[in-house]
Amino acid sequence: MDTLILGLPVAYYIAMVAKVLVAFVFVLLTVAYATYAERKIIGHMQVRLGPMRTGWHGLLQPIADGVKLFFKEEIIPSQASKFAFLIAPLVALIPAFISFAVIPFGDSITIGGYTVPLQIAAYYDQAGKQVFDINVGVLYILAMASLGVYGIVLAGWASNSKYSLLGGLRSAAQMISYELAAGLAIISVFMLSESLSLHKIVADQAGGAWYAFKQPLAFVIFFICSLAEINRTPFDLPEAETELVSGFCTEYSSMKYAMFFMAEYANMITVCAVTTTLFLGGWHGPAFLPGWFWFIAKVYFLIFLCMWIRATYPRYRYDQLMRLGWKVFLPLTLVNVMATGLWVMFISK
Amino acid sequence: MIMPLIKGLQITISHMFKKPVTLQYPTERPDVKPGFRGLHALNVSHDKAKCVACYLCPTVCPAKCITVEAGEDQNHDKYAAKYEIDMLRCIFCGYCVEACPVDAIRMTEQFELANYSRADFTYTKDRLLEKK
């Protein structure tokens, strides 16, 4: 009989710590090499090479960048609100990472007689029966995603600079406009799967078509809205280096600046993981390779798509961004929700 | 509205498979085209500079970066006792080369002209003679 701590066996805690570490390292490594991949991919799309000097084809560039950023001078503006200024990068970074707690990376693996689900916030007992799974996973992710903007607004306000403040406020306005449409796009997925649990949503897509095919409009709108919500190009208005001199992070330097970048890339990974889970069948794929492989492959494909979009489209103007969010995506998603509702009520039942 | 967006994506992805035009500069040298106007050099004839100190180049120079002082040699011929070009002012227009009646100055293909001190940007006669 296992020793129980707070009603759960020790193995549960070991598995939990291991899963957290693996997920954390996965996100960190992906963040580091996403910056490299982005420079390479956009480089080639612009018929140039990208980083080539550090290591073979510039492979050690992320490490060199990290070392460089560590040794850069740290500047805090004299009139800045110091505490808020220091805490803002953390506030931006942490929500990006903790969203991964509910994302199912794969089905489950068996280690030493224990079945360990490849989702941090899930636990199976020794019989392989699911004891708990966070059943409002999507709501949790939406909540965490909307927390990230606090970091940006806080950074903008605490810097005591007009550019930063404008960048921060733009981010807040952008966030609200796009979160509504993104949320409504997901609702049609809930209606089809009748659950908020990411585990159930993935399971529902196993046999039949992925939700990307059943809900193509919701899929496209959700992905575009997610790009806008995480301030990726072409919606990178809070930074807008041409008009706002880097916006909310104008006054940031050294590692604090790097943390905003880490947050941006971690957010991109989160968004791609969520899109994979909700619309692309999660970890399901042809059986000859493990589930986690398919999951990571799909996530990386979406990350590539983000970079491809960045290399292609120019930045939106602010009024265009607002119009797209409120006047195009919001009505479209509302219509989609209604149509899905009618379909679920009258046709599928 | 949708089609142009897709076409844009098509164009960028097609560029991914083209050969990059990047030059790996310090290891690969650029192929300097004929007529390139780089650093000046003084031409030499019979082991001395061809310049006869006629002052046409400083006169024609729009940036006023050339300083010439005439001297007289044993044969009572005029020669440039001092010939200096201030590279911080030079705009590489090549008028000095055009103006020279004796073909004493030309422009080389050398384009790496960075230096650490202001004094190093003043190219004296000796330095200009050394250039190939």
Side-chain angles (χ1 to χ4, degrees):
Chain A
M1 189 67 196
D2 278 333
T3 327
L4 296 183
I5 302 173
L6 297 171
L8 290 166
V10 180
Y12 160 76
Y13 293 100
I14 295 170
M16 189 61 83
V17 170
K19 280 192 285 189
V20 169
L21 277 180
V22 169
F24 187 66
V25 169
F26 166 73
V27 177
L28 271 189
L29 277 180
T30 311
V31 164
Y33 274 89
T35 57
Y36 168 76
E38 177 139 39
R39 291 166 71 180
K40 271 293 193 198
I41 289 169
I42 293 183
H44 280 277
M45 282 180 176
Q46 293 168 349
V47 206
R48 49 190 182 83
L49 285 167
M52 287 294 280
R53 292 273 150 207
T54 339
W56 185 79
H57 275 249
L59 265 178
L60 299 177
Q61 192 65 44
I63 298 163
D65 285 341
V67 171
K68 184 192 79 176
L69 281 161
F70 258 112
F71 288 104
K72 279 208 144 185
E73 187 185 3
E74 196 127 12
I75 299 165
I76 300 176
S78 57
Q79 297 294 305
S81 170
K82 289 227 170 50
F83 178 70
F85 188 79
L86 292 176
I87 209 86
L90 276 178
V91 176
L93 188 62
I94 291 171
F97 274 88
I98 53 182
S99 307
F100 272 87
V102 294
I103 290 171
F105 282 80
D107 185 16
S108 60
I109 49 169
T110 309
I111 302 169
Y114 287 96
T115 310
V116 181
L118 292 178
Q119 180 184 8
I120 294 171
Y123 168 59
Y124 294 168
D125 64 9
Q126 254 179 311
K129 196 171 146 285
Q130 186 164 321
V131 176
F132 69 75
D133 162 31
I134 182 161
N135 61 1
V136 286
V138 186
L139 288 186
Y140 171 82
I141 283 176
L142 284 179
M144 289 308 124
S146 55
L147 279 182
V149 75
Y150 283 95
I152 291 174
V153 176
L154 203 60
W157 176 78
S159 299
N160 190 28
S161 148
K162 305 256 181 321
Y163 288 130
S164 305
L165 187 64
L166 274 174
L169 291 181
R170 275 183 178 203
S171 184
Q174 184 176 330
M175 196 76 176
I176 296 165
S177 329
Y178 281 85
E179 205 158 59
L180 281 175
L184 279 169
I186 303 180
I187 281 183
S188 48
V189 170
F190 300 159
M191 290 164 98
L192 290 183
S193 75
E194 296 173 350
S195 169
L196 285 173
S197 155
L198 288 168
H199 203 79
K200 169 89 168 34
I201 291 172
V202 171
D204 274 3
Q205 296 174 76
W210 292 346
Y211 286 146
F213 299 112
K214 285 185 180 169
Q215 290 284 342
L217 188 65
F219 169 59
V220 172
I221 290 178
F222 177 74
F223 192 64
I224 297 174
C225 287
S226 304
L227 285 183
E229 201 171 296
I230 60 172
N231 309 325
R232 282 279 308 175
T233 328
F235 307 104
D236 59 342
L237 288 160
E239 278 171 59
E241 70 277 3
T242 41
E243 69 247 39
L244 280 186
V245 202
S246 290
F248 69 90
C249 54
T250 309
E251 307 293 339
Y252 280 85
S253 54
S254 185
M255 268 325 270
K256 291 201 291 297
Y257 176 76
M259 277 162 84
F260 279 118
F261 259 75
M262 273 169 77
E264 187 183 320
Y265 281 89
N267 269 323
M268 180 170 69
I269 301 163
T270 314
V271 157
C272 293
V274 173
T275 314
T276 304
T277 309
L278 292 177
F279 291 100
L280 297 180
W283 46 269
H284 288 292
F288 54 85
L289 281 167
W292 54 263
F293 173 85
W294 290 113
F295 178 80
I296 291 174
K298 286 173 193 176
V299 170
Y300 283 2
F301 170 74
L302 287 179
I303 291 175
F304 173 76
L305 195 62
C306 290
M307 292 169 182
W308 187 5
I309 287 170
R310 178 175 179 167
T312 308
Y313 302 130
R315 178 184 298 129
Y316 266 59
R317 216 171 51 219
Y318 201 68
D319 59 314
Q320 292 172 328
L321 177 96
M322 283 291 143
R323 194 178 60 212
L324 190 71
W326 291 105
K327 290 188 176 172
V328 180
F329 285 163
L330 198 62
L332 275 178
T333 43
L334 279 170
V335 168
N336 193 44
V337 166
M338 273 172 56
T340 313
L342 291 172
W343 190 79
V344 169
M345 271 182 79
F346 298 112
I347 302 170
S348 74
K349 288 284 156 71
Chain B
M1 189 206 148
I2 309 285
M3 281 322 284
L5 290 178
I6 294 172
K7 200 162 183 193
L9 288 173
Q10 251 175 16
I11 290 170
T12 37
I13 198 88
S14 69
H15 283 177
M16 261 197 99
F17 305 102
K18 285 186 183 160
K19 197 172 152 32
V21 294
T22 315
L23 188 77
Q24 296 289 321
Y25 165 58
T27 43
E28 285 175 49
R29 309 298 299 182
D31 175 22
V32 177
K33 295 286 179 283
F36 178 82
R37 299 202 287 259
L39 179 65
H40 309 70
L42 288 176
N43 285 337
V44 177
S45 169
H46 296 96
D47 286 339
K48 57 177 193 171
K50 276 172 133 182
C51 179
V52 292
C54 69
Y55 292 96
L56 269 179
C57 50
T59 309
V60 82
C61 179
K64 301 268 174 275
C65 67
I66 306 179
T67 314
V68 182
E69 276 174 20
E72 202 179 294
D73 63 10
Q74 300 94 321
N75 307 328
H76 304 291
D77 285 336
K78 236 170 121 192
Y79 80 104
K82 179 181 176 188
Y83 195 104
E84 267 181 20
I85 300 179
D86 182 359
M87 274 299 159
L88 290 174
R89 299 187 63 135
C90 179
I91 55 167
F92 299 93
C93 63
Y95 284 4
C96 46
V97 180
E98 301 276 327
C100 185
V102 293
D103 189 29
I105 189 165
R106 72 194 151 84
M107 294 183 103
T108 60
E109 293 180 345
Q110 194 176 335
F111 57 88
E112 288 147 317
L113 300 171
N115 269 315
Y116 285 100
S117 68
R118 293 188 75 84
D120 288 341
F121 285 98
T122 307
Y123 280 78
T124 56
K125 190 179 166 188
D126 290 341
R127 287 175 75 192
L128 291 169
L129 278 171
E130 281 165 17
K131 306 293 165 198
K132 276 178 259 157

XYZ file of all heavy atoms in Angstrom, chain A residues 15 107-118 124-128 292:
143
model
N 5.354 12.034 -10.149
C 4.940 12.159 -11.549
C 4.612 13.610 -11.874
O 4.963 14.125 -12.941
C 3.724 11.272 -11.810
N -1.639 10.840 -24.730
C -2.611 10.050 -23.975
C -2.082 9.769 -22.576
O -2.328 10.509 -21.651
C -2.904 8.765 -24.750
C -3.982 7.947 -24.096
O -4.684 8.527 -23.236
O -4.130 6.766 -24.442
N -1.360 8.689 -22.415
C -0.749 8.387 -21.111
C 0.385 7.416 -21.342
O 0.431 6.722 -22.357
C -1.781 7.777 -20.157
O -2.279 6.585 -20.728
N 1.323 7.404 -20.403
C 2.390 6.415 -20.488
C 2.405 5.631 -19.190
O 1.957 6.131 -18.154
C 3.770 7.075 -20.744
C 4.006 8.235 -19.769
C 3.910 7.542 -22.168
C 5.416 8.749 -19.778
N 2.895 4.403 -19.238
C 2.935 3.580 -18.036
C 4.383 3.445 -17.578
O 5.249 3.008 -18.333
C 2.339 2.188 -18.315
O 1.068 2.393 -18.931
C 2.164 1.401 -17.036
N 4.647 3.896 -16.351
C 5.992 3.793 -15.788
C 5.876 3.041 -14.468
O 5.169 3.491 -13.553
C 6.610 5.182 -15.534
C 6.666 5.993 -16.836
C 8.015 5.042 -14.957
C 7.005 7.445 -16.637
N 6.540 1.888 -14.363
C 6.569 1.112 -13.128
C 5.184 0.770 -12.596
O 4.939 0.883 -11.392
N 4.276 0.428 -13.471
C 2.951 0.032 -13.023
C 1.974 1.186 -12.858
O 0.795 0.996 -12.654
N 2.498 2.421 -12.919
C 1.609 3.574 -12.784
C 1.290 4.132 -14.164
O 2.179 4.283 -15.009
C 2.277 4.683 -11.966
C 2.354 4.368 -10.504
C 3.514 3.822 -9.967
C 1.270 4.618 -9.669
C 3.595 3.519 -8.621
C 1.344 4.317 -8.324
C 2.506 3.767 -7.801
O 2.580 3.473 -6.480
N 0.028 4.436 -14.380
C -0.354 5.091 -15.624
C -0.294 6.594 -15.395
O -0.970 7.123 -14.510
C -1.777 4.676 -16.031
O -1.834 3.257 -15.982
C -2.091 5.149 -17.432
N 0.577 7.244 -16.163
C 0.741 8.687 -15.976
C 0.163 9.397 -17.198
O 0.658 9.220 -18.298
C 2.240 9.053 -15.826
C 2.400 10.551 -15.602
C 2.853 8.260 -14.697
N -0.912 10.176 -17.004
C -1.451 10.916 -18.144
C -0.505 12.042 -18.542
O 0.104 12.678 -17.683
C -2.763 11.472 -17.611
C -2.593 11.525 -16.140
C -1.636 10.447 -15.756
N -0.383 12.263 -19.840
C 0.528 13.321 -20.305
C -0.191 14.683 -20.321
O -0.278 15.366 -21.329
C 1.063 12.988 -21.694
C 2.008 11.791 -21.747
C 2.439 11.505 -23.167
C 3.222 12.010 -20.873
N -4.376 9.558 -12.852
C -5.055 8.271 -12.949
C -4.650 7.442 -11.742
O -3.505 7.513 -11.299
C -4.625 7.511 -14.216
C -5.023 8.148 -15.523
C -4.472 7.681 -16.715
C -5.931 9.200 -15.572
C -4.813 8.243 -17.929
C -6.273 9.769 -16.789
C -5.718 9.292 -17.961
O -6.057 9.854 -19.150
N -5.573 6.643 -11.239
C -5.175 5.737 -10.147
C -4.513 4.489 -10.730
O -4.334 4.382 -11.948
C -6.375 5.387 -9.253
C -7.435 4.614 -10.013
O -7.148 4.216 -11.160
O -8.537 4.419 -9.487
N -4.153 3.557 -9.822
C -3.354 2.415 -10.291
C -4.098 1.536 -11.281
O -3.495 0.865 -12.102
C -2.895 1.579 -9.097
C -1.414 1.802 -8.848
C -0.949 1.013 -7.683
O -1.545 1.032 -6.620
N 0.140 0.306 -7.880
N -5.411 1.579 -11.212
C -6.197 0.770 -12.138
C -6.284 1.443 -13.504
O -6.883 0.902 -14.428
C -7.591 0.551 -11.573
N -5.679 2.609 -13.627
C -5.719 3.313 -14.908
C -6.991 4.118 -15.077
O -7.305 4.604 -16.144
N 2.477 12.057 -28.343
C 3.154 13.328 -28.071
C 3.894 13.836 -29.297
O 4.037 15.028 -29.505
C 4.076 13.242 -26.863
C 5.103 12.139 -26.919
C 5.003 10.922 -26.342
C 6.374 12.173 -27.576
N 6.126 10.174 -26.611
C 6.987 10.920 -27.349
C 7.064 13.116 -28.307
C 8.248 10.611 -27.863
C 8.318 12.818 -28.820
C 8.896 11.572 -28.591
